[in-house]
Amino acid sequence: YRIEYSGVESTSSVDSSFNKVQDVTVYNVTSTFLTGLVPFSTYNITVSATTSVGEGPPSSVSVLMTEEGTPSAPSDLTVTNRTSTSLWVEWQPPLFPHGIIEHYLVTFTGVETLNTVNESFYNTSEDMVSSTSIHLYGLEPYSVYEVTVRAVNGFGVSDEAVTTGRTQEDVPAAPVGVTVTDVTSTSFNISWMVPSILNGFISLYEITIVGVDSVNPVPPQFYESVTLNTTETAEMLVNLISYSTYQVQVRAKTAAGFGVYSLRKDVETLEDIPSPPASVSLGNVTLDVVEILWNPPVWPNGIIRYYYLKLIGPTGYLVTSENTTSLEVAFKNLEPFTTYKLSICAFTIACSENVNLTATTLGEIPRIVSNNETSVSVSRDDSIVLSFSITQAVPPVTPDDIVWT
């Protein structure tokens, strides 16, 4: 017997040989198996008998369909769109479905991430879909996932098609562990650790510092925010104002933009040497008293603990010194008609520059000491001539100091 068969229709991608007539010859049997056929495909089959005389006519055409078989894997599996937390995956049906594709089994597994994640990231999740696409959401930003797709028909499950996709970057979390060290009167060092959730590559950090309070007469810019950028996780902030309070924050940036700021941290710079006392002047000056007045320093740079004053005599000796929290001091029991030098400074952690000035006490009424007698004579023009000599006067006098009455 000679069996002829040819393919008629198939759900699979077949070449021209599928429709070509093929034949099989068998002897002394009335049944046989046709192999190498395409699953879930229609074939035309005829049978003819052969004797020693020759081959007889073929039987009428029998149309038979093969049963379903295992499908091939889906084709063209790609990630077509992505966000920071989702992937859109598409594919084409198997080239050889070998039956009716009932659905697809999709799995996705976390492979790589910069973030701190728990073990569930690496667990495999499976979904069943009837379409040729799926939207995977709730994913970690800037992380790699492996996606597999298998086709399922009435016979079984195909091999898997595999691809990987990375979610896009997102803004990072706030830096952690912000610490301030090495505080001086005009600077401090700020450091931090990278965010626990990076969501991408950190391209830079932005530090924001703003003045909050100061004992000094700061300009308006003191209260305006200033930003500095760095790629490091520490920065020395300089050119600050002494004994002033600042607030400082840090935030990180990825390709998606800046994340949130860290918590505000208050920092107070240390005290420094103040500017000199202001408006220093002499007050009341008498025979034996010199009073000095002043105002606080324009730039105190800290807490003025006291003012230090010195009184120096004519020959350079220290007459007295004094610490005071007042804004005036009167030096008493001084010598009349004597010039003194005074100096004053303001003290915080150290003394400011001195302010120096001089003061001369008033003279007392002269006491004339003379051994010569005073004579009086009348001239011819009726003028009076008074003659005298001064051996000593206390305090000394000059002719201009003599008052005639």
Side-chain angles (χ1 to χ4, degrees):
Y1 297 94
R2 187 163 69 90
I3 302 98
E4 290 185 339
Y5 62 96
S6 62
V8 178
E9 185 179 6
S10 178
T11 59
S12 299
S13 297
V14 292
D15 57 22
S16 58
S17 64
F18 173 75
N19 302 108
K20 184 178 180 180
V21 176
Q22 302 181 62
D23 65 305
V24 174
T25 301
V26 296
Y27 299 91
N28 301 321
V29 294
T30 58
S31 65
T32 189
F33 284 100
L34 298 179
T35 60
L37 306 183
V38 178
F40 206 63
S41 299
T42 303
Y43 287 86
N44 287 338
I45 301 175
T46 61
V47 180
S48 59
T50 302
T51 64
S52 60
V53 176
E55 184 177 341
S59 65
S60 60
V61 176
S62 295
V63 180
L64 300 175
M65 175 176 280
T66 54
E67 294 182 350
E68 292 184 277
T70 302
S72 62
S75 60
D76 299 330
L77 175 62
T78 55
V79 176
T80 59
N81 200 4
R82 68 196 73 209
T83 69
S84 62
T85 57
S86 66
L87 296 173
W88 190 266
V89 184
E90 296 181 356
W91 60 91
Q92 295 298 318
L95 293 175
F96 303 99
H98 295 165
I100 298 174
I101 300 301
E102 298 174 354
H103 57 267
Y104 296 93
L105 297 177
V106 181
T107 68
F108 62 97
T109 307
V111 175
E112 177 188 324
T113 184
L114 296 176
N115 293 336
T116 302
V117 294
N118 54 38
E119 284 300 317
S120 63
F121 173 80
Y122 301 100
N123 294 340
T124 299
S125 300
E126 184 174 80
D127 283 310
M128 184 174 67
V129 297
S130 57
S131 63
T132 56
S133 64
I134 188 171
H135 185 208
L136 305 176
Y137 55 90
L139 309 181
E140 283 289 326
Y142 203 64
S143 300
V144 177
Y145 289 84
E146 181 182 84
V147 182
T148 70
V149 181
R150 293 175 293 167
V152 180
N153 62 16
F155 183 82
V157 181
S158 73
D159 290 336
E160 61 186 20
V162 182
T163 190
T164 58
R166 183 188 289 275
T167 52
Q168 291 184 343
E169 293 188 62
D170 205 343
V171 296
V176 296
V178 178
T179 304
V180 172
T181 57
D182 303 327
V183 180
T184 71
S185 61
T186 58
S187 66
F188 61 82
N189 184 73
I190 181 171
S191 60
W192 58 90
M193 292 184 289
V194 299
S196 58
I197 302 175
L198 294 171
N199 289 341
F201 284 107
I202 303 298
S203 58
L204 61 84
Y205 294 95
E206 181 184 79
I207 306 164
T208 298
I209 181 171
V210 61
V212 177
D213 188 30
S214 181
V215 298
N216 294 314
V218 292
Q221 294 84 348
F222 173 79
Y223 300 101
E224 297 175 0
S225 296
V226 177
T227 59
L228 301 91
N229 293 334
T230 179
T231 57
E232 305 298 327
T233 56
E235 184 74 14
M236 180 66 77
L237 304 182
V238 297
N239 299 325
L240 307 180
I241 296 176
S242 302
Y243 205 58
S244 300
T245 301
Y246 291 87
Q247 284 185 342
V248 64
Q249 293 175 287
V250 186
R251 63 178 179 173
K253 183 181 182 182
T254 63
F258 281 106
V260 297
Y261 275 110
S262 63
L263 294 176
R264 290 187 181 92
K265 201 165 190 69
D266 289 343
V267 185
E268 185 176 72
T269 52
L270 300 182
E271 295 181 84
D272 207 339
I273 298 172
S275 62
S279 303
V280 180
S281 63
L282 292 176
N284 188 33
V285 178
T286 67
L287 294 171
D288 59 353
V289 174
V290 171
E291 185 182 45
I292 182 171
L293 312 173
W294 64 91
N295 288 327
V298 175
W299 287 79
N301 288 336
I303 299 172
I304 302 299
R305 289 166 175 80
Y306 58 83
Y307 298 92
Y308 177 63
L309 298 95
K310 290 192 298 184
L311 184 69
I312 307 296
T315 59
Y317 66 94
L318 177 63
V319 177
T320 185
S321 63
E322 184 173 340
N323 293 340
T324 182
T325 57
S326 175
L327 295 177
E328 59 182 49
V329 163
F331 292 104
K332 301 178 180 180
N333 302 318
L334 305 182
E335 292 293 328
F337 202 66
T338 303
T339 299
Y340 293 91
K341 293 180 180 179
L342 301 96
S343 68
I344 178 173
C345 69
F347 192 96
T348 53
I349 58 170
C351 228
S352 69
E353 254 184 67
N354 284 323
V355 177
N356 301 309
L357 66 167
T358 60
T360 301
T361 53
L362 298 181
E364 59 185 350
I365 298 174
R367 302 188 306 275
I368 304 300
V369 180
S370 175
N371 295 325
N372 300 320
E373 294 183 355
T374 301
S375 63
V376 178
S377 63
V378 179
S379 66
R380 293 179 181 177
D381 57 0
D382 295 331
S383 61
I384 298 174
V385 178
L386 175 63
S387 300
F388 64 92
S389 64
I390 298 174
T391 304
Q392 182 181 359
V394 181
V397 296
T398 66
D400 292 334
D401 297 323
I402 300 174
V403 179
W404 301 86
T405 60

